[in-house]
Amino acid sequence: LGTIHGHLGDSAQEIACARDSLVLYEEIGDLVGQANALNNLGIACKEIGNWAAAVGHFQRALEIEQQLGNVHGVAKVTNNLGNVQLQRGQVDAAAQAYQESLDLWERIEFPVGVALSQSNLGKVCAERGEWQRALHYLEQSQRGFQAIQSNHFLPEVYRRLAAVRLGLRQLDKARHAAERSVALAHKLGMELEKGISLRVLGEVLLALG
């Protein structure tokens, strides 16, 4: 429920559900559930800009996942820590976190994670102005998500592709990618993603005059 509230843009309900979930998992001593709830809390806090709280929740989740020896969980939380680092401008630290996640997800052959890490590495390259490397990672990510028919992260991938095409001054392709991002986010009811993508579409249209 918390995750759904988050996709709909209701961060307060997302946090409330995640906290209720964490309390229940703590009461029954379920470490796997605690790690998942802490990870969800971290995501919610990141989205509202409470980075210190997000890092704290992710670090607690990571400790539990490492204690359990859950490779998938370690990769997931490490990736999310990278997201916070990237938002805080710690690009090198984010790149390292994303690469660690990619290596782990490739090792356990988890295609969603592989495509997600590729998308995030593309974002890192874009932040550095390495447009061709960014394009390579993002196109890999797009193909990966499409191959398994997973739409959840595609609005973000299309949006990132739009930003890279804008950086390359390929304005028509940038507009097409941004419009795809907005349309898919709208279709999926992902209001937060739609809002971010509309901003990028605005930047592209501004460049087009």
Side-chain angles (χ1 to χ4, degrees):
L1 274 171
T3 300
I4 293 168
H5 281 303
H7 294 330
L8 293 171
D10 190 344
S11 296
Q13 282 299 312
E14 180 182 15
I15 290 172
C17 286
R19 283 180 174 157
D20 289 345
S21 176
L22 178 60
V23 168
L24 291 170
Y25 279 126
E26 287 175 339
E27 286 178 358
I28 61 175
D30 186 330
L31 290 176
V32 174
Q34 289 174 43
N36 287 330
L38 285 163
N39 182 65
N40 289 351
L41 265 175
I43 292 170
C45 289
K46 178 186 73 70
E47 294 298 348
I48 63 172
N50 191 344
W51 292 331
V55 169
H57 294 313
F58 287 142
Q59 290 286 7
R60 284 180 62 195
L62 185 59
E63 289 169 7
I64 294 173
E65 298 289 18
Q66 290 171 334
Q67 176 186 339
L68 295 170
N70 181 3
V71 176
H72 169 69
V74 170
K76 177 178 66 178
V77 179
T78 299
N79 174 80
N80 289 337
L81 275 168
N83 291 339
V84 178
Q85 291 163 334
L86 188 61
Q87 285 194 339
R88 299 176 81 172
Q90 300 166 344
V91 179
D92 291 342
Q96 181 177 342
Y98 293 148
Q99 188 61 55
E100 288 175 8
S101 294
L102 178 59
D103 292 343
L104 289 172
W105 271 322
E106 285 181 335
R107 197 172 92 200
I108 62 174
E109 299 181 2
F110 184 65
V112 172
V114 170
L116 179 59
S117 291
Q118 289 168 337
S119 173
N120 288 336
L121 284 167
K123 172 67 171 174
V124 165
C125 292
E127 290 291 323
R128 291 170 169 166
E130 300 170 354
W131 302 118
Q132 288 298 337
R133 285 192 68 200
L135 188 61
H136 173 72
Y137 276 123
L138 289 166
E139 287 181 336
Q140 278 189 312
S141 176
Q142 178 185 340
R143 288 193 296 269
F145 284 127
Q146 289 174 334
I148 57 174
Q149 299 181 335
S150 175
N151 288 334
H152 177 77
F153 292 105
L154 277 175
E156 181 176 67
V157 174
Y158 293 143
R159 179 173 68 245
R160 290 174 172 179
L161 278 167
V164 170
R165 296 292 188 185
L166 183 59
L168 291 167
R169 307 307 295 172
Q170 298 171 353
L171 300 185
D172 288 338
K173 289 183 177 180
R175 180 175 185 169
H176 177 65
E179 288 175 343
R180 287 185 77 181
S181 177
V182 172
L184 183 55
H186 178 73
K187 179 181 177 181
L188 297 174
M190 300 175 72
E191 291 302 304
L192 181 60
E193 291 295 324
K194 180 181 174 183
I196 303 170
S197 296
L198 282 166
R199 174 183 55 77
V200 174
L201 178 56
E203 293 173 359
V204 173
L205 292 172
L206 182 63
L208 281 163

